[in-house]
Amino acid sequence: MSTLTAEQLGGRAAIPPGPGRAQLVDPRRVRLLSFLFMGLAHVTVLKDRVRGIAFMLVELVFLVTLPTTLGMVGGLITLGEPQPHLPIRERPNSLFMMIDGVMILAVFAIFAAFYVVSVKSAAKLADEINTRGFPDAHQKRFSAVADRAFPVIGLAPTFVMIAFFVVVPLLFSALVAFTNYAAPGNIPPANTIDWVGLDNFRRLFGGNQLWGSAVARVFTWTIVWAFLATGTTYIGGMLMAVVLKNSRLRITPLFRAIFILPYAIPGVVSLLVWRNMLNGAFGTVNRTLAALGITDAAIPWLTDPNLARFTMVMINLWVGFPYFMLLITGTMTSIPAETIEAAKVDGATDWQIFRRIQMPQIVFQTMPLVIMSFAHNINNFGAVFFLTGGGPNVGDSVTTSAGATDIMVSWIFNLTVNLQQYHMASVLAIMIFLIIAPFAIYNFRRTKSYREGEI
Amino acid sequence: MATTSVTRSAQREIDVRRSVRNQRINSAAIVFVLVLVSIIVLWPIVHMVAAAFTPGQSIAQMPVVPFTAGLTTEHFTHLFNNTNYLLWFRNTFIIATSTALATLVLASLGAYVFSRFTFTFKKSFMMSLLILNVFPSFVGMVAIFVILLRIGGLDTLWGLVLVYLAGNLPFTTWMVKSYMDNVPRELDEAARIDGASSFRIWARIIVPVCKPILVFLGITSFVTPWMDFIFPRMVLRSPENQTIALGLFSFVTDRNNFFTTFAAGALIVAIPFIIFFVLTQKMLVSSLAGAAVKG
């Protein structure tokens, strides 16, 4: 967590550390005491009772609950023995054992961090006392102590939320990949879950014909989809931005407002409208085509595997081009007008100006967002679920629940919500981790804090 | 000499004419593209609006040319009298407001601590914020379900708020922190010398100064719950706890198609969104471009 060191302001060097000055506390003794029991050094030598007692309480609570918590970790290892003779309510619930175990491991990690913090804080305090003497009564007032605790209080809620609702779930789902948590045989509380090692991975990557081919198909489509979805919306958005920019019509702002509509309408709404309109039997699209005399055949927009994939990309273009249009319009206005004027004076055509001056600038400036949009499309659950629902079915869909247009995340959703094949879903979640990790690193290295050496 | 100048001026005239003609072709092409794209963009939207006012029930009964099969407001009265629409609206509003408020308070507190204090593990904590940012929170879906089951948060609105809040925090905290780093430290240091406590500085100086980014993030965290589907579907079970997105989806499942009711309900939610986006498009452009440039 954090030491209680508030930001120090000027006046630090009030008493310079004279070379012959006697040490008020012995740093080695402080270190020994602080290692021995959390907060011991604070209470005894450093005379910082409030903080010391707080630290000691933390360790005390930890030690008192240790038998229980160790039992929980044990539960994580065994996951409980099946006891079919007991009524369901009294049987060991492997799921709770697992989540409790993971949470306790997180608590252990937090405790270890506390220990490090307390030792470091003791050393720092000893150092301060040796250079500036013991703090006076003014700094020991309750309000001053409370103020120094501000960083801890301010950060604690965020820390707890992230630890238990982001980190623990990620760890848990990684662990589920090594168990047999799945319907019908292993669903708590009626039955227990067991560790199965790498069985699920073997089944998905080559061991089982059906699952293996489904993984390969869904993985390929996820990547192809992300490329197509990002590429089409980017090119479409750039085209519309350039057209709007070059339009000399007086009603151009009206067109711009119209083009923003797909971005403004919530995705669920527009995708569900499209889904209904594209219905093969009675959708508006096919009936319109028939009325116009173009074709009478019911075109299976969402029920033919390849056509459904194509439709998905096209509808995503409809939904997604305004984002890049807005973005690129913004970047184009940031290109200095003089540059373009100069090019015009030199006799450059509109096309040349666009190709040689505007486009390189746009691409350079928007590249980070294109990359993040690619990562977003890999996980674009809505585009699949609301439009096609993952369908149409292909050969292995009955067993694996992966349809022709399913991408990894929508497949995970099907596996957990419909089929309760949690173990397989977790293997896929790990795969998504691996795909997304480069983007995480990229995003990380791009930040100002990283470039300026802050982290 | 004379002849070359004559040919030159003739050449120039041809150039001008050609460029005028090119420009006309260009303008015509531009108008064509603009009109075509507008039609494609507007077509489903007009159909949706029309369906909300057309008698009938399913998409099959909707006319090919919108607004040609009579007008009615019965879908709206049906929506308010015979479905839980108002309840869904209220639930979603509660969820969205609490999520946005809680996110802003926690993110601005956390960002203040990150930006102005030094402490052990600060670097590792900041790094994990950044990395967690990228992973979609629903990969941990099963675990979140079990944790909520464990703390009694299943099928409650606050359980869903907790899930959204945790999902928002890494990103929003980081955004506010980056904004705060650019706020001169002298502002809060002056207050500190005057004897203000950290909490007071946060409430009286930091939050007002960071208002632009807080408003932006407040809006984004308010908007997301309106149309999110995965988590409400997982967390909320009972009919009285549904949200707008779940309710709308239930109108157009494969089994029963109440497209007109769906369209009426969707229209009510979509209109505020549309007005907001069209009005703020200038701001949107600059904030999007800002994100692109600054990173």
Side-chain angles (χ1 to χ4, degrees), chain A residues 241 245 256 325-338 340 358 361-362 365, chain B residues 282 285-286 289:
Chain A
K245 178 102 181 158
R256 197 191 300 276
M325 186 191 81
L326 285 173
L327 196 68
I328 289 166
T329 310
T331 358
M332 282 205 301
T333 47
S334 74
I335 300 173
E338 295 85 48
I340 293 166
Q358 291 178 315
Q361 280 279 337
I362 293 170
Q365 291 200 13
Chain B
K282 282 240 165 67
V285 169
S286 58

Side-chain angles (χ1 to χ4, degrees), chain B residues 194-207:
Chain B
D194 290 345
S197 66
S198 300
F199 181 78
R200 222 181 139 74
I201 294 174
W202 169 75
R204 290 294 162 83
I205 296 175
I206 296 293
V207 170

Side-chain angles (χ1 to χ4, degrees), chain A residues 1 3 7 9 100 147 161 164 172 255-256 260 266 268 276 282 287 318 385 409 416 436 444 448, chain B residues 38 40-41 47 59 62 116 120 130 134 138 141 143 147 150 162 182 189 192 198 227 229 257 281:
Chain A
M1 288 287 288
T3 66
E7 182 163 308
L9 299 169
D100 290 349
D147 199 44
M161 289 298 296
F164 288 101
F172 179 88
F255 283 115
R256 197 191 300 276
I260 293 177
V268 188
N276 279 282
F282 46 78
R287 285 190 289 128
W318 186 92
F385 187 76
V409 280
T416 52
I436 292 291
F444 179 64
K448 211 172 134 207
Chain B
S38 299
I40 298 174
V41 164
H47 265 288
I59 183 89
M62 293 301 108
R116 297 295 196 260
T120 324
L130 262 185
V134 178
F138 55 84
M141 213 158 58
I147 291 173
R150 211 79 175 108
L162 282 186
N182 293 326
E189 284 176 3
R192 191 176 292 282
S198 300
M227 285 301 138
F229 186 82
N257 188 303
Q281 57 160 308

Side-chain angles (χ1 to χ4, degrees), chain A residues 220-241:
Chain A
T220 320
W221 171 237
T222 306
I223 302 294
V224 171
W225 149 256
F227 266 109
L228 290 178
T230 315
T232 50
T233 48
Y234 188 66
I235 293 169
M238 190 188 295
L239 193 74
M240 293 326 293

Side-chain angles (χ1 to χ4, degrees), chain A residues 31-77:
Chain A
R31 196 184 309 149
L32 183 70
L33 283 173
S34 66
F35 266 120
L36 215 57
F37 199 90
M38 216 186 204
L40 192 58
H42 286 88
V43 173
T44 56
V45 187
L46 301 169
K47 296 185 182 151
D48 184 354
R49 293 221 176 75
V50 179
R51 222 189 310 184
I53 290 172
F55 276 134
M56 287 180 105
L57 275 179
V58 170
E59 175 142 5
L60 216 60
V61 170
F62 178 79
L63 289 180
V64 168
T65 55
L66 198 59
T68 326
T69 51
L70 278 182
M72 285 176 169
V73 174
L76 176 64
I77 295 167

Side-chain angles (χ1 to χ4, degrees), chain A residues 134-146:
Chain A
F134 279 103
D136 53 25
H138 174 71
Q139 280 162 293
K140 280 193 165 177
R141 274 189 330 197
F142 177 75
S143 62
V145 173

Side-chain angles (χ1 to χ4, degrees), chain B residues 218-238:
Chain B
I219 291 171
T220 44
S221 359
F222 181 81
V223 166
T224 335
W226 286 92
M227 285 301 138
D228 185 50
F229 186 82
I230 302 187
F231 282 116
R233 171 75 183 267
M234 184 188 82
V235 175
L236 306 173
R237 290 295 154 99
S238 50

